C-alpha cells in the first residue's frame, strides 16, 4: 500500500488541535481498522461512520440517536444488575466458597458495574473529542500505512476475539459449578462477559492507535535521517515534535482517562481465580473427578484473558522506541554552528529528562515497569486473601471444637 502526501497542516477546530494531510491512495488503507470501528460503533463507544474515500468519521442523526439509546439501555441494564447484587447478597452466596471469597466476589461484581457505567458515560460525554482524535490518527495512518501495520491490526483483533471466547467459557463454566440460582449466574456471566468485551476492545484499540503514532514518528525519523539540509532538518524536527506533543497529549487525555479505572479493576479481579481454586477444589469441596477437573482448568485460566490484555497494553512501547530513535539520529548530525545546533542540543537535553509518554491520565505510566508492579500487586493481594481464608477456616475449626467440647 503506497501513498503520496503533502506536508501535514496543524489547525484548530472546536478547541481541538488537529493534524491534516492531503493524501492520494491506491487502495483503502483503513481496511483492518474498520473492524475496530464497526465493533466500537456496535457497542455505542464511537458512533460515527467511516468515509473511506475522504478518511473522515461522519456523525449523523442516526448515529447520535443510536449512541443515546444504546448508552441509556446499557446503563439501565448495568444499574439493574448492580441493584440486584447490592440488595440481594444472599442470592449471590456460593455454598462451596468461603465467606471471604463470597464477599470479595460480590465486591468485584459491584466494582465492575460502577466502572462500566463510568466508562459509558465518559465515552458518550466526550464522544466528539474521541471521534476527532481517531479521525486524525486514521489520516496519519494513511500517511504511514503499510501491510505490516495492517497485519498487526488484524493479529491483535484475532487475539482479542480468542481471549473473549476463553473468558466467556471461563465465566459460564465457573459459575455453573457454584450452585447459584440461574438469575445470579446470568448476572455474573453477563456483567463479566460484557465487561471483557467492551474494556478489552478499548485497550486493544488504544494499542493500535499507539502503533499508528509510532509509524508516524518512524516516518519523520526516516525523513530526518535522509535530510542533509539544515533548513529541511529543522522543519522535519519541528513537525515531528508537534506530532509527538499534540497527538500523544490528546491520546493520554482521551484514552488514558479510560485506562485509569480499567487497570485497577483488573488488578482486583486477577486473584479471584486462584483463590476460588484454593478454596474449593484444593479443600475437597468437589468430589466428582470431572467436576474437579473442570473447576481446576477454569480457575487456572480465569485471569489469563485479562492479564494477556494488560500485558499487551503495558508492553506496547512503540512510541517510546521511535521517540528515542530521534535522539540517536540527531546525535549523528554534524555541527554547523547555525541555530540548528542549539535546537538539537535543547532536544537532546529534553530527551534525557523525558517523562513517560503514555500514562493513565497522568496517574501512572503505561509501560513495562508498571506491568511488573501490577503482577507484584496481584500476587500480594492473592497472598492476603489466602491468609484471610486460612483465618476463616481456623476460626470455624476452633468454634467446632468448642461446640464438641461443650456437648461432652
Amino acid at each position: 500500500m503506497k501513498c503520496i502526501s503533502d506536508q501535514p497542516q496543524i489547525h484548530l477546530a472546536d478547541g481541538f488541535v488537529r493534524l491534516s494531510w492531503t493524501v492520494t491512495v491506491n487502495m483503502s488503507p483503513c481496511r483492518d481498522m474498520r473492524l475496530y470501528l464497526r465493533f466500537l460503533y456496535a457497542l455505542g463507544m464511537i458512533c460515527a461512520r467511516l468515509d473511506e474515500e475522504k478518511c473522515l468519521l461522519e456523525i449523523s442523526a442516526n448515529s447520535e440517536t443510536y449512541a443515546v439509546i444504546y448508552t441509556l439501555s446499557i446503563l439501565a441494564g448495568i444499574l439493574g444488575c448492580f441493584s440486584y447484587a447490592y440488595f440481594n447478597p444472599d442470592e449471590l452466596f456460593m455454598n462451596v466458597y468461603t465467606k471471604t471469597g463470597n464477599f470479595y466476589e460480590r465486591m468485584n461484581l459491584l466494582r465492575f458495574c460502577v466502572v462500566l457505567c463510568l466508562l459509558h458515560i465518559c465515552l458518550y460525554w466526550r464522544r466528539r473529542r474521541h471521534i476527532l482524535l481517531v479521525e486524525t490518527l486514521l489520516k496519519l495512518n494513511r500517511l504511514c500505512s503499510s501491510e505490516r501495520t495492517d497485519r498487526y491490526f488484524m493479529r491483535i483483533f484475532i487475539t482479542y476475539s480468542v481471549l473473549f471466547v476463553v473468558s466467556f467459557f471461563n465465566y459460564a463454566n465457573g459459575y455453573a459449578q457454584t450452585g447459584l440460582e440461574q438469575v445470579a449466574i446470568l448476572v455474573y456471566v453477563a456483567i463479566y462477559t460484557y465487561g471483557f468485551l467492551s474494556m478489552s476492545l478499548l485497550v486493544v484499540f488504544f494499542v493500535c492507535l499507539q502503533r499508528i503514532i509510532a509509524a508516524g514518528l518512524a516516518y519523520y525519523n526516516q525523513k530526518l535521517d535522509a535530510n542533509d539540509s539544515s533548513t529541511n532538518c529543522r522543519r522535519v524536527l519541528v513537525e515531528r515534535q508537534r506530532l509527538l506533543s499534540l497527538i500523544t497529549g490528546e491520546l493520554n487525555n482521551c484514552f488514558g482517562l479510560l485506562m485509569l479505572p480499567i487497570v485497577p479493576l483488573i488488578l482486583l479481579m486477577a486473584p479471584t481465580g486462584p483463590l476460588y481454586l484454593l478454596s474449593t477444589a484444593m479443600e475437597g469441596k468437589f468430589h466428582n473427578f470431572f467436576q474437579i477437573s473442570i473447576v481446576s482448568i477454569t480457575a487456572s485460566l480465569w485471569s489469563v484473558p485479562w492479564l494477556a490484555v494488560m500485558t499487551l497494553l503495558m508492553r506496547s512501547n512503540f512510541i517510546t522506541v521511535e521517540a528515542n530513535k530521534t535522539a540517536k539520529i540527531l546525535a549523528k548530525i554534524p555541527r554547523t554552528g547555525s541555530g540548528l545546533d542549539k535546537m538539537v542540543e535543547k532536544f537532546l537535553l529534553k530527551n534525557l529528562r523525558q517523562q513517560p509518554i503514555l500514562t493513565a491520565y497522568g496517574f501512572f505510566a503505561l509501560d513495562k515497569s508498571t506491568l511488573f508492579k501490577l503482577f507484584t500487586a496481584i500476587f500480594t493481594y492473592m497472598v492476603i486473601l489466602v491468609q484471610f481464608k486460612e483465618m476463616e477456616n481456623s476460626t470455624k475449626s476452633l468454634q467446632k471444637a468448642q461446640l464438641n467440647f461443650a456437648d461432652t
Side-chain angles (χ1 to χ4, degrees), residues 108-288:
N108 273 341
L109 179 64
L110 296 175
R111 281 189 287 259
F112 256 80
C113 292
V114 172
V115 170
L116 283 173
C117 286
L118 292 176
L119 287 177
H120 278 284
I121 292 173
C122 180
L123 285 166
Y124 177 77
W125 189 262
R126 310 179 77 189
R127 63 192 184 282
R128 293 186 179 274
R129 187 173 183 178
H130 294 157
I131 289 171
L132 288 174
L133 172 63
V134 173
E135 180 183 288
T136 303
L137 292 180
L138 288 178
K139 292 180 179 180
L140 177 61
N141 185 47
R142 285 200 169 187
L143 176 67
C144 313
S145 60
S146 65
E147 293 183 0
R148 180 180 178 184
T149 303
D150 291 332
R151 287 196 301 268
Y152 177 83
F153 293 157
M154 179 62 71
R155 187 167 64 250
I156 294 298
F157 190 85
I158 293 174
T159 303
Y160 159 73
S161 303
V162 172
L163 292 175
F164 170 74
V165 173
V166 172
S167 65
F168 172 75
F169 280 105
N170 279 345
Y171 301 138
N173 289 329
Y175 290 109
Q177 306 296 328
T178 59
L180 290 171
E181 296 292 333
Q182 291 185 353
V183 176
I185 295 175
L186 181 61
V187 169
Y188 270 120
V189 175
I191 289 297
Y192 285 151
T193 302
Y194 181 76
F196 186 86
L197 178 69
S198 56
M199 295 183 200
S200 296
L201 180 59
L202 287 173
V203 171
V204 297
F205 188 65
F206 180 47
V207 172
C208 290
L209 295 182
Q210 294 179 42
R211 185 64 178 246
I212 292 175
I213 296 176
L217 291 175
Y219 169 79
Y220 282 115
N221 284 339
Q222 292 175 0
K223 292 182 65 177
L224 192 63
D225 196 20
N227 272 314
D228 50 5
S229 168
S230 61
T231 303
N232 291 336
C233 184
R234 185 183 293 106
R235 188 185 70 252
V236 172
L237 187 60
V238 170
E239 292 169 358
R240 177 260 181 205
Q241 195 61 24
R242 285 175 177 172
L243 172 65
L244 182 63
S245 59
L246 297 178
I247 297 297
T248 57
E250 191 63 22
L251 192 67
N252 282 331
N253 290 333
C254 289
F255 284 87
L257 178 62
L258 300 177
M259 298 301 112
L260 181 58
I262 293 177
V263 174
L265 188 66
I266 296 176
L267 168 63
L268 297 172
M269 177 69 178
T272 55
L275 178 64
Y276 184 77
L277 180 64
L278 294 172
S279 303
T280 56
M282 295 298 182
E283 293 190 358
K285 299 290 182 66
F286 300 110
H287 304 289
N288 184 288

Side-chain angles (χ1 to χ4, degrees), residues 283-304:
E283 293 190 358
K285 299 290 182 66
F286 300 110
H287 304 289
N288 184 288
F289 176 77
F290 177 77
Q291 193 175 29
I292 294 174
S293 301
I294 291 296
V295 170
S296 300
I297 295 174
T298 301
S300 301
L301 298 175
W302 190 265
S303 304
V304 169

